């Protein structure tokens, strides 16, 4: 069975601070996908980043960066210079390569960025 | 067109009503999903259609009946629901190809369902 753990339930920061959201996963599959999604109060889940299990290259995209470490089964997400509009629930998800891409979501981390 | 649309946005229904939720995408995606999301919880997978065939049913009660009329449309028929079925119902689609770079799910805005 697959499992995704987001240990941080809620995080509160002041605007312009950097914030890292943690994600740890468990799977027996050797090939899998990892995703981060953002869910603002409006309700729609917005795709942010994908990573596959054989690509540990970390990236920076604007204010977002990701740290994928297969050895520790972690896929952390960092927002640099946070803004009020970043306030949302962030979900980490693990997806099977087969089985219609079935995804397992973590419980989510609620990020509040205060002005 | 790079979005998933869902109608209606809000739905209030009684326990004896029959209603349907609709989801549409025109991205050529061949996998479509229904999720149920309760407040402060992650989305829970209900059904997956792959190439218009039901491939996953996560032991969902029969009062929820999915339908995939064609590759762009996904419906969820509702009948005799219970108050505990009140939730946000999300539809998603995925390319379902071999290229891993395009295998994220794109979500619609959801239908907020209230069962009285």
């Amino acid at each position: 069975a697959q499992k995704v753990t987001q240990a941080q339930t809620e995080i509160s920061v002041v605007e312009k601070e950097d914030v890292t959201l943690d994600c740890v996963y468990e799977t027996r599959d050797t090939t899998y996908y990892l995703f981060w999604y953002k869910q603002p109060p409006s309700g729609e889940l917005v795709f942010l980043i994908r990573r596959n299990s054989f690509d540990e290259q970390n990236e920076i995209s604007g204010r977002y960066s990701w740290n994928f470490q297969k050895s520790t089964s972690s896929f952390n997400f960092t927002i640099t210079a946070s803004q009020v509009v970043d306030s949302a629930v962030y979900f980490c998800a693990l997806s099977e390569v087969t089985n219609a891409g079935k995804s397992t979501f973590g419980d989510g981390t609620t990020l509040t960025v205060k002005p | 067109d790079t979005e998933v649309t869902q109608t209606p946005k809000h739905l209030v229904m009684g326990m004896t009503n029959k209603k349907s939720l609709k989801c549409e995408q025109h991205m050529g995606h061949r996998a479509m999903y229904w999720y149920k999301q309760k407040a402060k919880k992650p989305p829970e997978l209900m059904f997956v259609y792959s190439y218009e065939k039901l491939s996953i049913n996560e032991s969902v009660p029969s009062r929820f009946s999915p339908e995939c009329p064609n590759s762009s449309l996904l419906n969820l028929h509702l009948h005799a629901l219970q108050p505990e079925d009140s939730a946000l119902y999300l539809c998603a689609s995925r390319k379902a190809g071999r290229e891993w770079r395009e295998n994220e799910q794109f979500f619609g805005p959801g239908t907020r369902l209230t069962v009285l």
Side-chain angles (χ1 to χ4, degrees):
Chain A
Q2 307 205 337
K3 185 178 179 182
V4 177
T5 302
Q6 294 179 251
Q8 304 149 308
T9 306
E10 295 183 10
I11 300 177
S12 182
V13 299
V14 176
E15 206 169 18
K16 297 185 183 176
E17 285 185 16
D18 298 347
V19 57
T20 295
L21 308 182
D22 298 333
C23 174
V24 174
Y25 62 92
E26 296 174 28
T27 180
R28 291 184 178 178
D29 294 344
T30 55
T31 305
Y32 47 87
Y33 304 130
L34 293 162
F35 303 96
W36 275 98
Y37 289 90
K38 172 183 179 181
Q39 188 173 39
S42 59
E44 183 172 351
L45 274 156
V46 178
F47 161 73
L48 296 176
I49 180 66
R50 78 175 81 76
R51 217 29 28 167
N52 71 34
S53 52
F54 50 86
D55 181 1
E56 290 197 62
Q57 180 180 356
N58 294 307
E59 285 187 19
I60 297 174
S61 175
R63 295 187 299 109
Y64 298 160
S65 62
W66 301 268
N67 188 345
F68 173 41
Q69 304 245 342
K70 198 170 182 180
S71 58
T72 57
S73 298
S74 66
F75 184 46
N76 298 335
F77 171 56
T78 297
I79 303 174
T80 303
S82 59
Q83 300 175 0
V84 173
V85 293
D86 296 327
S87 298
V89 181
Y90 290 81
F91 290 100
C92 179
L94 171 66
S95 178
E96 300 175 6
V97 173
T98 56
N99 202 17
K102 182 177 175 180
S103 292
T104 301
F105 286 80
D107 285 342
T109 297
T110 300
L111 173 64
T112 302
V113 181
K114 299 178 181 176
Chain B
D1 190 350
T2 58
E3 64 173 1
V4 177
T5 59
Q6 288 187 245
T7 54
K9 285 192 77 170
H10 301 274
L11 179 62
V12 179
M13 60 186 291
M15 290 191 284
T16 58
N17 292 157
K18 284 186 182 181
K19 296 286 184 183
S20 296
L21 309 185
K22 181 180 172 182
C23 173
E24 196 165 359
Q25 56 87 16
H26 295 287
M27 295 179 279
H29 290 176
R30 302 310 298 271
M32 295 186 77
Y33 306 75
W34 279 117
Y35 288 87
K36 173 183 177 180
Q37 188 179 24
K38 301 284 264 183
K40 299 190 184 298
K41 295 290 186 182
E44 292 176 42
L45 183 65
M46 299 174 72
F47 303 103
V48 181
Y49 273 83
S50 183
Y51 294 86
E52 294 105 70
K53 291 185 180 175
L54 183 65
S55 60
I56 296 179
N57 176 343
E58 293 286 65
S59 303
V60 179
S62 59
R63 57 185 184 269
F64 295 92
S65 175
E67 179 197 18
C68 189
N70 59 56
S71 60
S72 300
L73 275 175
L74 185 66
N75 298 320
L76 186 62
H77 303 298
L78 314 172
H79 173 55
L81 294 193
Q82 305 295 311
E84 59 264 29
D85 295 323
S86 298
L88 179 68
Y89 287 84
L90 292 162
C91 173
S93 71
R94 187 177 71 99
K95 191 167 185 178
R98 291 180 178 274
E99 176 54 61
W100 72 268
R101 293 182 184 277
E102 298 173 308
N103 268 290
E104 63 272 17
Q105 293 180 27
F106 289 84
F107 284 81
T111 293
R112 202 163 291 279
L113 174 67
T114 303
V115 182
L116 302 176

